Amino acid sequence: MASPADWTPPPAPLIRAADLALEPWRAWTSPVFHGLENLPESGPALLVGNHTVYGIVDAPLIFFEIHRRRGVWVRSVADHAHWMVPGWRTVMDLGGSVDGTRDNCRALLNAGQMVVVFPGGAREATRGRDRLYRLQWEGRLGFARLAVEAGCPIVPFGTVGAEEMFTTVLDPDSPLLAPGRALGRLLLGERGARDDVMVPVTRGIGPTPIPRPERLYFGFGKPIDTAPWRGTHDDDLAVTEVRDLARKAVEEIIDGLRAEQAADPCRTPLGRIGRNLSRAARAVPRAVPSALPRALPRALPGLIGR
């Protein structure tokens, strides 16, 4: 079997097409990125952050933004269930994701690659409404153990905004979703018996599933050097200490992004339109009314931008 490190990025035309396909989503979410300069110039490195509801709302923006700004394709380890869905597993393979086993992650790090890990996994992506932005890393030591074993830095990151796009109607453990859980057990076997298979039922704009146009905020923190723990990857107390350092860093990033979100007058399209209308109005020479017809056409395309 080929090593997961042998993956080849998609051809340039496909990358451009995928990047172009993301443009409407970028316009909808007007994402803000902080701290990308904290990523090392090269791997190995483990990028560790929080999963948001559904897990796919913000992840593509992370991968493409890192590639656009840093020229690096980061790899990701993902839940086994992704490879049980025909068609979708092909998308995961094309994007460089691998089944989330320790051996696969170890192979990527040993090959000097940057790897994205969401320690909360499906538990965070299928969270109930009472656990917004709460990390669910209890008992998860694998990423810290692998980072110490590889001697690579851990780059903490946080994502905010996806949770505000949806309102939960039914939590995953709702009795009304019992038939769905039974179907999951039938189709996925042992994997379906876990408590993180069923996703919550949500609504976005009004009663529709269309996500509300909330801005997405991303922050990357200073790398955590694992060198002081070299040789202790088999010591649970040592790797727990590393895990807790990473967890604290991610929580602090999330708190900072939520504060930025709360104070941001442009977190929604209406706020961004209002800001840009104000800028356009200031740009129009008040003493020259004839300039108005020429200024507005130039200003309109950017009214809903950043």
Side-chain angles (χ1 to χ4, degrees):
M1 181 181 295
S3 167
D6 294 336
W7 173 79
T8 301
L14 184 56
I15 293 173
R16 288 194 296 269
D19 196 41
L20 185 62
L22 274 178
E23 280 304 314
W25 188 234
R26 290 191 184 100
W28 193 253
T29 60
S30 191
V32 174
F33 286 84
H34 303 290
L36 283 175
E37 68 277 4
N38 289 322
L39 269 62
E41 292 296 328
S42 60
L46 211 55
L47 280 55
V48 178
N50 63 308
H51 233 338
T52 55
V53 65
Y54 297 138
I56 59 172
V57 170
D58 43 17
L61 293 173
I62 294 174
F63 300 135
F64 273 89
E65 194 69 18
I66 291 175
H67 181 255
R68 292 171 80 185
R69 294 203 198 179
R70 302 298 301 272
V72 176
W73 278 112
V74 296
R75 308 291 299 279
S76 68
V77 293
D79 194 275
H80 316 304
H82 287 286
W83 280 267
M84 303 178 75
V85 182
W88 178 246
R89 61 185 171 219
T90 302
V91 174
M92 297 292 286
D93 289 338
L94 279 173
S97 296
V98 299
D99 193 2
T101 67
R102 289 188 183 180
D103 285 343
N104 282 343
C105 188
R106 181 181 291 113
L108 294 178
L109 292 174
N110 287 343
Q113 301 194 18
M114 289 192 200
V115 184
V116 169
V117 176
F118 299 99
R123 287 188 290 182
E124 289 181 1
T126 60
R127 75 180 81 232
R129 74 191 81 192
D130 61 335
R131 296 186 175 185
L132 248 56
Y133 295 115
R134 282 175 54 189
L135 299 184
Q136 297 179 62
W137 295 8
E138 294 77 7
R140 301 290 177 95
L141 295 175
F143 78 89
R145 195 182 305 279
L146 286 166
V148 171
E149 180 183 338
C152 72
I154 295 173
V155 180
F157 71 90
T159 303
V160 164
E163 312 289 2
E164 286 75 22
M165 293 178 172
F166 304 97
T167 298
T168 300
V169 178
L170 293 174
D171 284 323
D173 59 356
S174 168
L176 295 177
L177 296 181
R181 290 192 291 273
L183 180 62
R185 287 191 293 272
L186 179 65
L187 296 178
L188 302 179
E190 181 182 348
R191 175 68 184 88
R194 285 171 47 181
D195 61 2
D196 55 8
V197 170
M198 180 59 63
V199 299
V201 175
T202 62
R203 64 175 180 83
I205 297 177
T208 76
I210 300 172
R212 291 186 283 270
E214 287 276 347
R215 169 169 272 174
L216 292 175
Y217 303 81
F218 302 91
F220 294 79
K222 297 289 186 182
I224 298 170
D225 183 9
T226 61
W229 292 270
R230 183 178 289 112
T232 65
H233 57 275
D234 288 328
D235 183 340
D236 283 356
L237 289 177
V239 295
T240 296
E241 185 177 359
V242 176
R243 189 272 313 274
D244 290 347
L245 280 174
R247 177 177 185 136
K248 182 175 184 292
V250 173
E251 288 174 336
E252 289 175 350
I253 292 170
I254 291 172
D255 289 345
L257 294 176
R258 294 190 76 183
E260 179 182 355
Q261 178 193 51
D264 186 0
C266 301
R267 61 180 280 188
T268 65
L270 283 178
R272 295 192 287 275
I273 289 172
R275 179 200 61 180
N276 289 321
L277 277 174
S278 176
R279 286 181 176 176
R282 290 197 299 269
V284 175
R286 296 183 180 181
V288 187
S290 62
L292 185 60
R294 295 194 302 273
L296 280 179
R298 293 196 298 270
L300 284 175
L303 286 181
I304 63 171
R306 295 187 182 183

